[in-house]
Amino acid sequence: MQTTITTLQKKKNQEKITAITAYDALFGKIFDGEVDFILVGDSLSQSFGGNRDTLAIGIDEMIYHTKAVCNGVQKSLVVGDMSFGSYQNEKQAIFNAVRFYKETQAGAIKLEGGANRAHIIKAIVNEGIAVMGHIGLMPQFARSEGGYKIKGKDEVSSTRLKEEALMLQESGAFAIVLEGIKHEVATEITKMLKIPTIGIGSGVNCDGQILVWSDAFGFFNDFQPKFVRRYLQGAQLLKDAIKEYVNDVKTMNFPSLDESY
């Protein structure tokens, strides 16, 4: 059975929501049905494109990768990330969100921002497009904030985050990603909202969790954020396999007679 927006919302207070990122049909197909939703995140700018941050990726690239993921997915909900600079005002945001729906099979889009994005979320939702919010540590704001800063460390910041979460819910967001928020604050936000929260580095009490696939499975080794748990040493396994392949070719062990026409 295919996961929908309604499916995710019904899981709140009933069952934890699971999510992972993917950027192509190959991994989309592997993850399909194993998690509730797959995010085609702008994290591909770093893990796929080799850039320093998420700002370099454009809306055309996000739509291209989202379309590719959708081609490999039948069961999990696919959510496409709105890239930096693609939702600066209501008109632009609606235009690009509509492109996601017209050019891909994504079930929803995601965008970053709190109070300053609430009116934009409302405008997109009014066009019949499902929106996932994102507050706390927002990678698209990292350069302007001088780095990746944990949120909710003091009362002022905590109160602001709660207010923004309620604003996004009121604007029509069907769920909100809580990234890099102190776990006590994320717990309070989760309890006060009627919609699901998806945590990344924000503690166990969020309604669900998401990780970047290359972080979780050990393919990205430049650094490991505190919130990442490695479930596989993928890069090392692949290096061992490629060495075995190269050796088989050089020693004429591959291809065998059975592997030749």
Side-chain angles (χ1 to χ4, degrees), residues 112-245:
E112 297 179 13
N116 62 328
R117 293 288 189 261
H119 68 289
I120 290 177
I121 290 176
K122 186 174 183 178
I124 296 173
V125 171
N126 285 342
E127 296 298 321
I129 298 169
V131 179
M132 179 178 286
H134 183 152
I135 61 173
L137 190 163
M138 296 177 289
Q140 292 181 8
F141 289 75
R143 198 182 296 181
S144 65
E145 293 184 351
Y148 298 95
K149 307 291 180 67
I150 302 304
K151 308 295 182 178
K153 287 185 172 183
D154 54 57
E155 188 174 345
V156 173
S157 175
S158 300
T159 300
R160 184 60 173 169
L161 286 167
K162 294 172 190 175
E163 291 174 347
E164 292 189 319
L166 286 171
M167 290 178 69
L168 297 194
Q169 177 177 262
E170 181 65 26
S171 296
F174 75 91
I176 303 177
V177 170
L178 305 182
E179 181 169 0
I181 296 174
K182 295 291 288 183
H183 67 92
E184 301 93 342
V185 181
T187 297
E188 292 180 38
I189 292 173
T190 300
K191 288 180 179 179
M192 63 190 285
L193 293 181
K194 296 178 182 178
I195 59 176
T197 60
I198 310 300
I200 178 166
S202 298
V204 73
N205 291 322
C206 295
D207 293 305
Q209 300 291 331
I210 186 169
L211 283 175
V212 173
W213 82 261
S214 51
D215 288 339
F217 306 131
F219 283 88
F220 183 77
N221 291 320
D222 290 358
F223 64 91
Q224 182 177 340
K226 177 183 178 179
F227 59 82
V228 170
R229 181 180 294 183
R230 288 273 170 85
Y231 289 90
L232 184 74
Q233 296 301 324
Q236 190 57 54
L237 287 172
L238 194 56
K239 285 181 180 180
D240 292 343
I242 194 70
K243 287 178 182 177
E244 185 177 352
Y245 163 66

Side-chain angles (χ1 to χ4, degrees), residues 88-109:
Q88 301 304 99
N89 55 65
E90 289 184 20
K91 184 178 180 180
Q92 180 194 37
I94 291 171
F95 178 81
N96 286 320
V98 168
R99 282 193 62 194
F100 261 104
Y101 263 28
K102 289 177 71 69
E103 298 178 36
T104 80
Q105 292 298 311
I109 57 98

Side-chain angles (χ1 to χ4, degrees), residues 40-95:
V40 188
D42 58 3
S43 53
L44 71 86
S45 177
Q46 295 156 296
S47 57
F48 188 90
N51 297 306
R52 290 186 176 182
D53 54 33
T54 65
L55 276 61
I57 205 80
I59 191 67
D60 290 339
E61 293 161 289
M62 290 307 309
I63 289 174
Y64 171 85
H65 285 273
T66 302
K67 184 177 181 179
V69 170
C70 288
N71 286 341
V73 173
Q74 295 182 339
K75 298 177 182 178
S76 300
L77 177 73
V78 176
V79 180
D81 240 344
M82 295 280 277
S83 58
F84 176 75
S86 68
Y87 52 101
Q88 301 304 99
N89 55 65
E90 289 184 20
K91 184 178 180 180
Q92 180 194 37
I94 291 171
F95 178 81

Side-chain angles (χ1 to χ4, degrees), residues 2-22:
Q2 186 173 19
T3 301
T4 65
I5 303 300
T6 303
T7 308
L8 288 185
Q9 292 186 316
K10 285 182 177 179
K11 287 179 180 289
K12 186 174 179 73
N13 300 323
Q14 300 296 323
E15 178 185 347
K16 292 292 185 180
I17 296 168
T18 58
I20 198 78
T21 65

